[in-house]
Amino acid sequence: MKRILVIRLSALGDFVLSFGPFAAIRAHHPDAQITLLTTAPFARLGRLSPWFDKVVIDRRAPWWDLRALWRLRQTLRGFDFVYDLQTSGRSSRYFRLAGSPKWCGIAKGASHPHANPARDHMHTWERQRDQLAMAGVARVPPVETGWLLAAGQPPELPRPYALLVPGAAPHRPAKRWPPGRYGTLASALLARGITPVVIGTGPEAPLAAIILNACPQAVDLTGQTDLPTVAALAAGALFAVGNDTGPMHLAAVMGCRCLVLFSHDSDPTRTAPRGPAGEEVVVLREDVLADLPSDEVLDTLERARFF
């Protein structure tokens, strides 16, 4: 194998859950030129990582855009083997565009199909390992994240501190625990000598404002952190509390203890964050997160001995 393509398009949580498989593919093909096909938000992570020789951005152009489709076809051609870790309807269509090379995935006609009938009910962590095993990649190592720590530049913070992650995908508001509850939690943590640190994207600043209104001593880093910095912050945190969202996956893979809040909108048995060796996080699930009181979150942190 001289030219290997790995497909992992989105989202952040799924991309992070693929760190171990990325490393396994690199170890299985030590002398190959390995290219990652991903979307723009994750290209920098791919380039920083030790697993890829090249990163190519898939802009996921609409199928009716024939010029873009031709360019994508050119990108996909010439590989000796393709690992499709996205395994979506879209990425499976790439099999034909790529000229039907040797293919690990679920595309019809794949040379190394993931033929486990239970795959759709498996957690992403186990499913990808099962997929790789069927393609002959037997060992997936624990995730090594020194490269992320080296790239992150976190600010100096009073210790101990805990991360609060109140955001989630904008189109899935049901995944968000009310920010006022995070504010109550922040005040309770501060009373125990733990500095609450709020992180999120720029558009999530209104959530942070509500938290700081309840707890002015909290540190607001909303909109001030890139992904490596989030990872470095998590590595130094006492723990993290957040919704089912990508930064919690980064926190978990850095070895940070995590309490993740789930609603009816997602299933922790399939998508919960995992630690560097597959360690499970602590999960609280309430069908409607507005029904989850702050006291229950605080009690869970105490029972799990997060502090």
Side-chain angles (χ1 to χ4, degrees):
M1 301 296 178
K2 293 186 178 181
R3 296 194 66 208
I4 307 295
L5 179 66
V6 178
I7 302 174
R8 188 34 133 174
L9 305 179
S10 64
L12 177 57
D14 293 325
F15 193 89
V16 172
L17 286 170
S18 294
F19 281 2
F22 291 161
I25 293 168
R26 176 79 273 176
H28 194 68
H29 303 282
D31 300 320
Q33 183 186 64
I34 302 182
T35 297
L36 171 68
L37 179 67
T38 189
T39 46
F42 314 116
R44 182 169 179 242
L45 284 183
R47 293 186 179 112
L48 287 171
S49 79
W51 306 311
F52 306 109
D53 301 291
K54 183 178 180 181
V55 175
V56 178
I57 294 176
D58 179 3
R59 304 192 185 281
R60 292 195 286 196
W63 295 109
W64 50 258
D65 187 340
L66 298 183
R67 181 173 296 181
L69 198 62
W70 183 87
R71 288 195 296 265
L72 177 61
R73 178 182 180 274
Q74 297 305 108
T75 297
L76 294 169
R77 293 278 167 145
F79 290 97
D80 300 296
F81 198 99
V82 178
Y83 292 92
D84 176 13
L85 299 183
Q86 189 71 24
T87 58
S88 64
R90 181 180 186 91
S91 64
S92 293
R93 293 189 188 99
Y94 291 180
F95 175 56
R96 300 295 179 192
L97 282 176
S100 304
K102 291 183 179 179
W103 189 280
C104 168
I106 59 170
K108 186 177 180 181
S111 59
H112 297 71
H114 187 208
N116 189 330
R119 60 167 274 114
D120 290 341
H121 304 286
M122 301 170 75
H123 189 283
T124 301
W125 197 89
E126 281 86 14
R127 187 183 72 242
Q128 291 193 354
R129 281 153 178 76
D130 191 57
Q131 176 184 341
L132 290 183
M134 288 188 172
V137 182
R139 181 178 179 271
V140 178
V143 178
E144 192 283 318
T145 54
W147 58 276
L148 263 176
L149 278 177
Q153 296 181 334
E156 289 293 326
L157 294 170
R159 293 175 183 258
Y161 65 86
L163 297 182
L164 302 182
V165 188
H171 62 285
R172 300 180 73 178
K175 295 177 74 173
R176 292 184 176 183
W177 194 39
R181 305 282 171 82
Y182 276 106
T184 302
L185 176 63
S187 296
L189 296 179
L190 193 69
R192 288 162 172 78
I194 302 168
T195 301
V197 178
V198 186
I199 61 172
T201 63
E204 291 165 347
L207 305 177
I210 294 171
I211 296 170
L212 266 71
N213 185 57
C215 181
Q217 299 91 336
V219 177
D220 180 15
L221 296 181
T222 304
Q224 303 175 49
T225 55
D226 59 9
L227 294 179
T229 298
V230 169
L233 284 168
L238 186 61
F239 58 85
V241 180
N243 306 324
D244 173 27
T245 188
M248 291 303 291
H249 286 266
L250 265 182
V253 84
M254 298 305 296
C256 177
R257 299 193 68 189
C258 293
L259 171 58
V260 188
L261 312 179
F262 279 81
S263 72
H264 64 84
D265 205 44
S266 53
D267 183 356
T269 66
R270 296 174 58 194
T271 64
R274 293 289 187 91
E279 303 92 338
E280 294 186 358
V281 299
V282 179
V283 167
L284 262 180
R285 192 178 194 191
E286 187 74 43
D287 277 354
V288 178
L289 280 177
D291 295 337
L292 178 64
S294 301
D295 285 348
E296 186 172 345
V297 173
L298 191 63
D299 289 346
T300 300
L301 291 171
E302 291 178 335
R303 287 196 304 271
R305 299 185 179 181
F306 276 41
F307 51 80

